[in-house]
Structures are given as C-alpha cells and as structure tokens.
Amino acid sequence: DVKVTQSSRYLVKRTGEKVFLECVQDMDHENMFWYRQDPGLGLRLIYFSYDVKMKEKGDIPEGYSVSREKKERFSLILESASTNQTSMYLCASSSTGRGFGAFFGQGTRLTVV
Amino acid sequence: AQRVTQPEKLLSVFKGAPVELKCNYSYSGSPELFWYVQYSRQRLQLLLRHISRESIKGFTADLNKGETSFHLKKPFAQEEDSAMYYCALNNAGNMLTFGGGTRLMVKP
C-alpha cells in the first residue's frame, strides 16, 4: 500500500511566521505535488516536483516555496504566513508511468491567526 | 494551458436514481483523465482512470475527445455514494490538474 504521510493534521500559526509543511512518500514515486483545497474552489496546484531538486510552479505559487532534497520528501514553505493562507493543504505523489494516478496524504489543516 | 471544469458544485439525487457528474477539459495534447472521490473525513482517493475503462462501485466514465468530456455515471445511486467528486487531468509532463469538484448528495 502506498503511503503518503503529512507531518501534521492540524496546525495553527501566527501571521508573519515561517511555516513548514512536510510530506513523505514510501513508494519511490518520481512526482510529488502540493495542493490547497478550499470549498467551492476545488484543489488548486501550488507546486509540482518531478525529480529531486526539480520543481514547477502550479496555478497559485505566490507566497509559497518548496524544497525537494530527497526523493521521498517534499516540503511546502510559507515564508511569511498570512490569514488568506488558512486552508487545507494536500500532498500527493505519483509514478511517471501513464495511468496510475496519484496518491494523497491525509491533509494538513492550517489556520493562520 | 490545461483546465478542468466541473459545472455543478452540488448534485442532489434520490437513492436509486441515475447519476451523472459532468467534467469538461481543455488540453492541446493527449489527455489522461481520472475521477477522484473524497468521502467524509477520509483522504482523497482514486476512483476511475480513463485508460483502464473499468467500472468501480458501479461508476463508469467514458472519454469523449470530440466533446472534451469525461462524465462520471452510475445507473442507480446509493446513499454511500454521497461524497465529493473531483475530475482530474494529467498532462504529458505528469502535472495533475483538478476541477472544482462536485458534491454528490444521495437522499434516502
């Protein structure tokens, strides 16, 4: 069974803090993703990584950065958290082969106060 | 640029009624389409892949390249089908883009 594990289920941070969200997968997947999930807006891609140290901006990268130093770990960084970054954050991983789909973590609900 | 559109935010049907959740996409290449489902308090999980042409939990979806659609269908809805459903497109570079989601409510 593929496991995608996010380090925290719930997180509360103050405005202006630097926030790290961590994600680890155990299936040697090449691709990893960070999405935010908001009611009525669906899943919006923040960043995508297709290999170690490689990344591509998604639809809403502003205010975020990512780090992928090891294949199994993909970190999302909020350099200076703001209240409009309060959301559910989902990490996913997938194989490069066609047709396999992505596997998701349980999500981190981040509240910025 | 690729885009996935799910025109209905909410779909409410009675148990036993047919269900169709709509998904339209725009993509210049050869698309790879998926349906994902999220039940209450559970993580998002893969439901269907267009490439496998399978039926899962009674759901089917056919890729219509002419209409650029990948609608999800089930002939007889069950209460346990109530969930959030997302259509997703994988591009040639393996970037996965989701639609806005449709909440399906199946009433008894």
Side-chain angles (χ1 to χ4, degrees):
Chain A
D1 241 13
V2 175
K3 271 202 180 153
V4 180
T5 305
Q6 295 182 229
S7 54
S8 304
R9 189 75 179 92
Y10 299 96
L11 214 49
V12 180
K13 295 292 181 181
R14 295 193 181 278
T15 301
E17 275 194 78
K18 190 169 186 175
V19 181
F20 292 85
L21 302 184
E22 307 284 346
C23 176
V24 176
Q25 52 95 3
D26 66 358
M27 282 301 291
D28 200 36
H29 282 168
E30 297 84 1
N31 307 308
M32 296 189 76
F33 309 80
W34 274 107
Y35 296 90
R36 61 178 283 176
Q37 183 181 31
D38 299 289
L41 297 176
L43 272 73
R44 292 180 291 168
L45 181 64
I46 305 171
Y47 268 99
F48 162 55
S49 170
Y50 51 92
D51 202 348
V52 174
K53 298 188 188 296
M54 306 306 287
K55 61 186 179 186
E56 281 190 31
K57 292 180 180 180
D59 297 319
I60 52 163
E62 298 79 18
Y64 303 94
S65 62
V66 290
S67 172
R68 191 158 180 211
E69 297 296 319
K70 292 185 178 181
K71 191 174 186 180
E72 67 270 18
R73 186 179 295 271
F74 193 34
S75 303
L76 180 69
I77 303 150
L78 286 69
E79 295 291 341
S80 177
S82 63
T83 54
N84 63 13
Q85 292 178 310
T86 291
S87 186
M88 174 68 86
Y89 290 87
L90 299 181
C91 175
S93 72
S94 74
S95 163
T96 297
R98 296 275 284 179
F100 294 112
F103 294 84
F104 280 81
Q106 77 277 24
T108 296
R109 181 161 295 282
L110 172 67
T111 301
V112 182
V113 298
Chain B
Q2 61 197 67
R3 173 171 282 199
V4 179
T5 304
Q6 294 178 249
E8 303 136 330
K9 287 194 184 331
L10 173 66
L11 187 62
S12 182
V13 301
F14 285 102
K15 177 182 171 182
V19 170
E20 183 179 50
L21 288 83
K22 292 184 168 51
C23 172
N24 291 93
Y25 67 90
S26 62
Y27 179 56
S28 56
S30 180
E32 192 179 24
L33 277 298
F34 302 89
W35 277 98
Y36 285 80
V37 60
Q38 190 171 32
Y39 301 103
S40 179
R41 302 184 188 281
Q42 294 186 27
R43 67 179 68 191
L44 200 62
Q45 57 187 284
L46 180 65
L47 179 64
L48 277 181
R49 305 169 290 175
H50 96 265
I51 201 167
S52 59
R53 302 183 64 82
E54 58 205 339
S55 172
I56 303 290
K57 299 184 180 183
F59 285 98
T60 59
D62 289 317
L63 178 60
N64 186 324
K65 291 187 178 181
E67 295 182 0
T68 59
S69 68
F70 187 57
H71 303 327
L72 183 68
K73 299 177 185 178
K74 185 169 183 177
F76 308 104
Q78 303 299 314
E79 288 182 68
E80 55 266 31
D81 295 329
S82 295
M84 196 75 187
Y85 291 81
Y86 293 95
C87 182
L89 183 151
N90 203 29
N91 71 8
N94 290 290
M95 184 179 286
L96 191 61
T97 301
F98 284 80
T102 298
R103 179 166 298 283
L104 174 64
M105 291 179 55
V106 182
K107 297 176 286 189

